[in-house]
Amino acid sequence: MTGLYIGVDGGGTFCRARLVNGEGTVLGEAVAGSGNPRIGIEAAWQNITNACLEACRQGNIDPNDYSKITLGLGLAGANQPLEQELVIAQSSPFGRRYLLTDAHSACLGAFDGQDGALLILGTGSCGVFYQNERFHIVGGWGFPLSDQGSGARIGLSALEHSLAALDGITPTSPMTDSINAEFSLSPEEYVLFQNRQPLPKEYGAFAIQVFEFAQQKDPIALKIVHEQVVWIRQYLDCLIAKGAKKIVLAGGVSDVIQPYLPEHYLAYLCESKGDAMAGAILMAKEQIGRMAI
């Protein structure tokens, strides 16, 4: 059996895998936990492997044929040599694999391998511009130092404002009251949360409340949204300055924050042709990215 490919979109919250044959027919698709190696390579790689194995199960692939399957891996947090080496060093029942970040694979999928730019606004954030078979990256260096405009940064800001309101440093609002109630009106509970080193997706969970309260005109929620919009505008301006004519917004935050963007960006925004798994499959087929056997 030849011509089998799995495209993996390893995000900060979920890992998705899609199995296709040489004609592009989908044979299986599965979801597992985070595929970001920064959560711990063992856990991330197990999630990636589980998703791939489940896709193979759905496609009725004989385990003896796993070694003939080429993987395209688009993984969050895989933009540094350390994480790349960790991923490449993992054992796998599959054949060759090609590694890039989820931003790279999402951009390839969004424009079907043609030139274009993409800004991911999910648990993390990253901009990427693909032109003349070269990638140009904007941000995406990881939470909390980078990833502006992401769910994790929005959630972190919500906790920051809520804790300050609890201390009487800043005004309260319905949003801060709601979040403080979740922490039992106790600063010590915030410290306990922080001390256990929560994952970015755990901060990102609070972003949902920010947008819900922003719709209700909550002043603190709106302040957080507008602060992050300033960052998103700067990301978009940077991509445009690099030459991007068309930009796809992707990720869970993109739909809810787009209405807050200035109208002049609408001339650049377009719909995606395909998702990050489609881009990862293109990586596998076209041998794009760092290769491991």
Side-chain angles (χ1 to χ4, degrees), residues 8-9 17 22 85 98 109 119 126 128 136-137 142 148 196 222 231 251:
V8 176
D9 173 25
E85 291 295 338
Y98 295 88
L119 179 58
C126 185
V128 57
H136 307 271
I137 302 299
Q148 293 87 355
R196 66 176 180 80
L222 284 171
W231 277 106

Side-chain angles (χ1 to χ4, degrees), residues 147-211:
D147 286 10
Q148 293 87 355
S150 70
R153 285 293 292 263
I154 292 169
L156 173 61
S157 186
L159 296 188
E160 179 183 30
H161 281 282
S162 297
L163 179 56
L166 184 60
D167 276 341
I169 299 169
T170 59
T172 63
S173 76
M175 186 199 75
T176 64
D177 289 343
S178 175
I179 292 176
N180 283 327
E182 292 186 45
F183 284 86
S184 304
L185 304 179
S186 169
E188 289 77 14
E189 290 296 321
Y190 278 91
V191 175
L192 290 174
F193 175 82
Q194 175 181 260
N195 285 350
R196 66 176 180 80
Q197 298 181 329
L199 298 172
K201 68 178 182 180
E202 295 179 77
Y203 284 100
F206 291 95
I208 298 172
Q209 294 190 51
V210 173
F211 287 104

Side-chain angles (χ1 to χ4, degrees), residues 106-284:
C107 188
L108 288 170
F111 295 93
D112 195 24
Q114 302 302 306
D115 291 357
L118 176 134
L119 179 58
I120 292 180
L121 301 170
T123 303
S125 71
C126 185
V128 57
F129 177 37
Y130 187 64
Q131 185 179 48
N132 298 327
E133 300 184 351
R134 291 187 61 189
F135 290 100
H136 307 271
I137 302 299
V138 176
W141 302 111
F143 176 83
L145 294 179
S146 184
D147 286 10
Q148 293 87 355
S150 70
R153 285 293 292 263
I154 292 169
L156 173 61
S157 186
L159 296 188
E160 179 183 30
H161 281 282
S162 297
L163 179 56
L166 184 60
D167 276 341
I169 299 169
T170 59
T172 63
S173 76
M175 186 199 75
T176 64
D177 289 343
S178 175
I179 292 176
N180 283 327
E182 292 186 45
F183 284 86
S184 304
L185 304 179
S186 169
E188 289 77 14
E189 290 296 321
Y190 278 91
V191 175
L192 290 174
F193 175 82
Q194 175 181 260
N195 285 350
R196 66 176 180 80
Q197 298 181 329
L199 298 172
K201 68 178 182 180
E202 295 179 77
Y203 284 100
F206 291 95
I208 298 172
Q209 294 190 51
V210 173
F211 287 104
E212 289 175 346
F213 280 101
Q215 288 185 329
Q216 302 168 27
K217 308 301 182 183
D218 182 282
I220 305 301
L222 284 171
K223 178 181 179 181
I224 293 170
V225 170
H226 290 306
E227 287 173 347
Q228 295 304 314
V229 164
V230 171
W231 277 106
I232 293 169
R233 289 173 59 185
Q234 292 177 108
Y235 273 62
L236 291 170
D237 289 342
C238 186
L239 291 170
I240 292 167
K242 290 180 180 295
K245 300 294 190 296
K246 293 294 182 181
I247 304 173
V248 168
L249 294 183
V253 174
S254 62
D255 286 341
V256 289
I257 209 163
Q258 185 170 332
Y260 297 94
L261 295 176
E263 287 188 9
H264 73 269
Y265 289 109
L266 296 179
Y268 293 93
L269 301 183
C270 63
E271 294 296 320
S272 175
K273 293 181 179 179
D275 59 17
M277 286 185 289
I281 290 167
L282 189 63
M283 287 168 51

